[in-house]
Amino acid sequence: MTADFMTIDALLVGTPVPFRGEAYSAIAKQPVTGPVRIGWGGLEGDAVADRVHHGGWDKAIHLYAQDHYNWWRGRLPGHQLLDAPGAFGENIAARGLTESQLCLGDRFTLGSAVVEISHGRQPCWKLDHRFGARDVMATIVKTGRCGIYCRVIQEGEVEAGTRMTLLERPFPQWPIDRLFRLLIGGGHKADPAGLRALADMPVLAETWRDRARKLAPTG
């Protein structure tokens, strides 16, 4: 039976700093100790540089499964970023469940807060630049090790070392890896009915609903 909780290894926040050329990024997040306030916008003290593609209601918190780190160490042996949580710019470094076990609309406790999974993370060029590699983004697209985004349903406070416990799972048929393959990984032609369903699913982040509408066949 699949576990109904994740364990938080670290909570991380960052602020925008020069990244490449004129671009700024807050991807280099650092762990924080003690209680962290969770507001509607995410973890207190966290900020984003690109407000078009990051942050906001549907992207308040980025979680990346630490279960993937050993796989990445095999792919990028000796890479220092993989020695500690935060390599992928995550706010929550958690372990116990991955994209094949986490579903759209899942609600979890986050200390005294409650969060809801809104969609997966679409990788961008910043991951390649951060790792100094040319294929990190492409590898994520190919394997579905994407990470997830959550919206905040109830504000509260949380500390590292605690559990995120599953409260509700309204859409068990929509694990995040299925969503990702369909909308980002190129699998949309194989599931037109799925695309049409996602296009009208309010719990899915607005940007991915729009993508489902654009990919869905007409006529």
Side-chain angles (χ1 to χ4, degrees), residues 65-136:
Q66 303 304 285
D67 312 66
H68 293 323
Y69 269 56
N70 279 338
W71 186 90
W72 281 108
R73 291 183 189 114
R75 180 87 182 186
L76 299 167
H79 204 298
Q80 292 183 348
L81 281 178
L82 297 169
D83 290 341
F88 298 89
E90 60 264 37
N91 297 117
I92 299 178
R95 54 188 164 84
L97 298 172
T98 67
E99 292 84 356
S100 64
Q101 300 156 315
L102 295 165
C103 299
L104 176 67
D106 280 1
R107 289 192 175 187
F108 280 88
T109 62
L110 185 59
S112 58
V114 176
V115 297
E116 179 181 82
I117 295 179
S118 60
H119 61 319
R121 183 199 188 185
Q122 183 173 353
C124 70
W125 64 269
K126 291 180 180 178
L127 285 170
D128 284 0
H129 184 70
R130 176 161 168 76
F131 278 89
R134 298 180 62 182
D135 66 345
V136 174

Side-chain angles (χ1 to χ4, degrees), residues 26-65:
I27 196 171
K29 300 186 187 300
Q30 299 298 315
V32 291
T33 58
V36 180
R37 177 71 183 168
I38 306 297
W40 302 121
L43 277 66
E44 187 176 65
D46 193 49
V48 299
D50 180 358
R51 294 187 176 275
V52 174
H53 298 103
H54 300 284
W57 166 247
D58 286 332
K59 299 179 181 179
I61 296 173
H62 173 216
L63 183 152
Y64 197 80

Side-chain angles (χ1 to χ4, degrees), residues 5-6 26 32 54 66 82 86 111 119 128 164 201 204 206-207:
F5 67 89
M6 292 177 281
V32 291
H54 300 284
Q66 303 304 285
L82 297 169
H119 61 319
D128 284 0
M164 296 177 64
M201 196 172 289
L204 181 62
E206 184 178 358
T207 53

Side-chain angles (χ1 to χ4, degrees), residues 140-171:
I140 289 173
V141 172
K142 183 178 179 180
T143 67
R145 291 175 168 86
C146 59
I148 66 166
Y149 277 120
C150 298
R151 56 177 69 95
V152 177
I153 302 299
Q154 175 180 302
E155 295 183 306
E157 195 173 76
V158 65
E159 287 190 68
T162 57
R163 287 183 173 184
M164 296 177 64
T165 301
L166 181 66
L167 297 173
E168 299 178 36
R169 173 160 288 165
F171 302 106

